[in-house]
Amino acid sequence: MSKREDYISWDDYFMGIALLAGKRSKDPSTQVGACIVSANCTDGSNSNTILSVGYNGLPVGCSDDEFPWDNKGDLLETKYPFVVHAELNAILNARGKSLHGSKLYVALFPCNECCKAIIQSGIREVIFLSDKYSQTDAVKASKRMFSAAGVKLTQLNPQVKKIELSLDINTI
Ligand SMILES: Nc1ccn([C@H]2C[C@H](O)[C@@H](COP(=O)(O)O)O2)c(=O)n1
Ligand SMILES: [Zn+2]
């Protein structure tokens, strides 16, 4: 028997992990996940290892049932001042582990606040799927900082459109 050929690529795998993490988000309108992966080493060592994952959600101790999830209205009645973005959560979830030279996979292009944390933590490449907020000041500021800091930006061209998972015991 020869080897299976329809296995997913590393890029699709890590973006899939980011998307799966986003499924944990309680945000009713937008669920974002992020996955941080160690750099490709030329000697093949320690590369393509997941260092951390995160999704958009409230800080520890802030109840998902007590804080607002609205995206319109007075600022303090919306989620915006409270939600930790997926990218920042992934960085914080690494708990101080070195992220130098690593890559970050995220479904949505990072905002300016996450951009600062990405740069400062030593992440060197951001791989994203959608850039649908490209016209916002947050994303414009982000791109300016990424460019100045030399962080590589790659829009993923996935090899597969869909990754299906079944948790039905009969399918294993
Ligand atoms: N790169 C991003 C962009 C957005 N988020 C989070 C922040 C909010 O929870 C949600 C956006 O909500 P919307 O304005 O679409 O109602 O997505 C993120 O984590 N990372
Ligand atoms: Zn952000």
Side-chain angles (χ1 to χ4, degrees), residues 80-131:
Y80 294 114
F82 308 112
V83 167
V84 184
H85 287 192
E87 302 91 316
L88 183 58
N89 257 335
I91 290 168
L92 296 171
N93 287 340
R95 300 257 179 254
K97 198 188 293 177
S98 173
L99 302 179
H100 279 262
S102 64
K103 301 179 284 184
L104 181 138
Y105 289 78
V106 63
L108 262 181
F109 197 93
C111 75
N112 58 310
E113 292 301 329
C114 291
C115 167
K116 294 177 221 175
I118 290 167
I119 293 169
Q120 294 301 70
S121 64
I123 292 168
R124 296 306 296 160
E125 184 174 1
V126 173
I127 298 129
F128 59 97
L129 270 181
S130 166
D131 193 13

Side-chain angles (χ1 to χ4, degrees), residues 2 46 48 58 108 113 117 126 134 163-164:
S2 52
N46 225 10
N48 284 334
L58 295 173
L108 262 181
E113 292 301 329
V126 173
S134 61
I163 299 170
E164 278 186 334

Side-chain angles (χ1 to χ4, degrees), residues 27-170:
D27 190 323
S29 45
T30 308
Q31 303 81 42
V32 186
C35 175
I36 303 175
V37 176
S38 63
N40 287 324
C41 300
T42 43
D43 65 358
S45 66
N46 225 10
S47 62
N48 284 334
T49 300
I50 295 173
L51 300 174
S52 188
V53 291
Y55 58 88
N56 55 326
L58 295 173
V60 173
C62 301
S63 168
D64 295 327
D65 299 312
E66 290 168 20
F67 280 75
W69 286 110
D70 297 277
N71 56 8
K72 291 185 185 72
D74 292 342
L75 184 66
L76 290 178
E77 303 302 322
T78 72
K79 62 188 170 185
Y80 294 114
F82 308 112
V83 167
V84 184
H85 287 192
E87 302 91 316
L88 183 58
N89 257 335
I91 290 168
L92 296 171
N93 287 340
R95 300 257 179 254
K97 198 188 293 177
S98 173
L99 302 179
H100 279 262
S102 64
K103 301 179 284 184
L104 181 138
Y105 289 78
V106 63
L108 262 181
F109 197 93
C111 75
N112 58 310
E113 292 301 329
C114 291
C115 167
K116 294 177 221 175
I118 290 167
I119 293 169
Q120 294 301 70
S121 64
I123 292 168
R124 296 306 296 160
E125 184 174 1
V126 173
I127 298 129
F128 59 97
L129 270 181
S130 166
D131 193 13
K132 66 178 177 178
Y133 297 123
S134 61
Q135 292 316 307
T136 63
D137 287 345
V139 169
K140 286 180 184 169
S142 188
K143 285 183 180 165
R144 182 175 175 183
M145 289 186 279
F146 279 138
S147 166
V151 174
K152 188 176 172 192
L153 302 174
T154 307
Q155 184 158 31
L156 183 64
N157 183 15
Q159 289 182 6
V160 291
K161 281 275 167 266
K162 210 172 192 176
I163 299 170
E164 278 186 334
L165 296 174
S166 170
L167 276 74
D168 180 347
I169 193 170
N170 298 311

